[in-house]
Amino acid sequence: MNTIRRSIADVLDDLGACNEAIEWAEGQDDPRAAWESCERGDWLLWICGKLDVDRRLLVTAACRCARLALRYVPSGEYRPLIAIEMAEAWIRGEATIDQVRNAADAAYAYASAASAAAAASAAYAAYAATAASAAAAYAAADAAADAAYASAAAAYAARGRTLAECADLVRTAIDWPVVEALIPEGGDR
């Protein structure tokens, strides 16, 4: 009897992914090809969080995505950048979780009509270091995309481009073999 890996759609379904992600995955025969071709950085971060990818790798990827939103933060507003930098310091062992949480709280508290999503993206990236769920990492990419969405004339296209850029950033921080090793194996065939 051969042990096989389940389809990526089955894995996503078991993890509780959204219907849109599961439907997309149903057309994917090769999990690695699906990982490499996915243009949704928020989905990739969510999957990594659900599969318990090393927290430092997850936070690295979330911070890279959140940095995309910094261009939408008004000049002179540093709380979102500080939250990202504090999370990055935690990755290097140079900051405590309490310091990260405080910086994330400050960034999240910051809000203005044009840049609330950018601040949220930075806060979520930092929260990914402190949270046990995949939601914070997912939200970092999603909020970065929302920041682009709120500020761009071609809003829908800008959000899609930002999510695709986040997907590339996630893949540079978290290689396929890391993810593949955490995908639960299927049953006998």
Side-chain angles (χ1 to χ4, degrees), residues 5-9 11 24 28-38 176 179-180 183:
R5 293 227 182 248
R6 294 178 293 154
S7 74
I8 194 69
V11 171
W24 172 82
Q28 305 295 319
D29 294 331
D30 177 11
R32 181 183 189 126
W35 175 261
E36 296 297 335
S37 69
C38 181
W176 168 248
V179 176
E180 181 181 35
I183 295 174

Side-chain angles (χ1 to χ4, degrees), residues 145-169:
D146 283 347
Y149 183 83
S151 300
Y156 186 76
R159 186 174 197 285
R161 283 191 304 274
T162 301
L163 284 170
E165 192 172 351
C166 284
D168 290 339
L169 292 169

Side-chain angles (χ1 to χ4, degrees), residues 113-124:
S115 60
S121 178
Y124 287 131

Side-chain angles (χ1 to χ4, degrees), residues 73-123:
V73 175
S75 179
E77 176 51 57
Y78 298 105
R79 286 172 283 189
L81 175 61
I82 290 168
I84 294 168
E85 289 178 343
M86 190 61 66
E88 292 168 338
W90 173 81
I91 292 164
R92 296 186 305 270
E94 299 169 359
T96 67
I97 286 296
D98 285 338
Q99 289 172 310
V100 174
R101 188 176 290 115
N102 290 339
D105 289 347
Y108 195 73
Y110 165 70
S112 74
S115 60
S121 178

Side-chain angles (χ1 to χ4, degrees), residues 12-105:
L12 291 177
D13 188 41
D14 288 350
L15 293 174
C18 67
N19 289 337
E20 185 182 359
I22 294 168
E23 288 172 13
W24 172 82
E26 285 174 350
Q28 305 295 319
D29 294 331
D30 177 11
R32 181 183 189 126
W35 175 261
E36 296 297 335
S37 69
C38 181
E39 293 190 354
R40 295 285 307 259
D42 52 343
W43 290 357
L44 297 180
L45 283 170
W46 182 87
I47 290 166
C48 290
K50 285 295 205 173
L51 292 175
D52 290 326
V53 165
D54 177 89
R55 178 74 48 205
R56 292 188 193 308
L57 290 175
L58 186 68
V59 174
T60 296
C63 287
R64 289 177 182 178
C65 291
R67 282 184 173 279
L68 295 176
L70 290 176
R71 61 182 161 235
Y72 303 106
V73 175
S75 179
E77 176 51 57
Y78 298 105
R79 286 172 283 189
L81 175 61
I82 290 168
I84 294 168
E85 289 178 343
M86 190 61 66
E88 292 168 338
W90 173 81
I91 292 164
R92 296 186 305 270
E94 299 169 359
T96 67
I97 286 296
D98 285 338
Q99 289 172 310
V100 174
R101 188 176 290 115
N102 290 339
D105 289 347

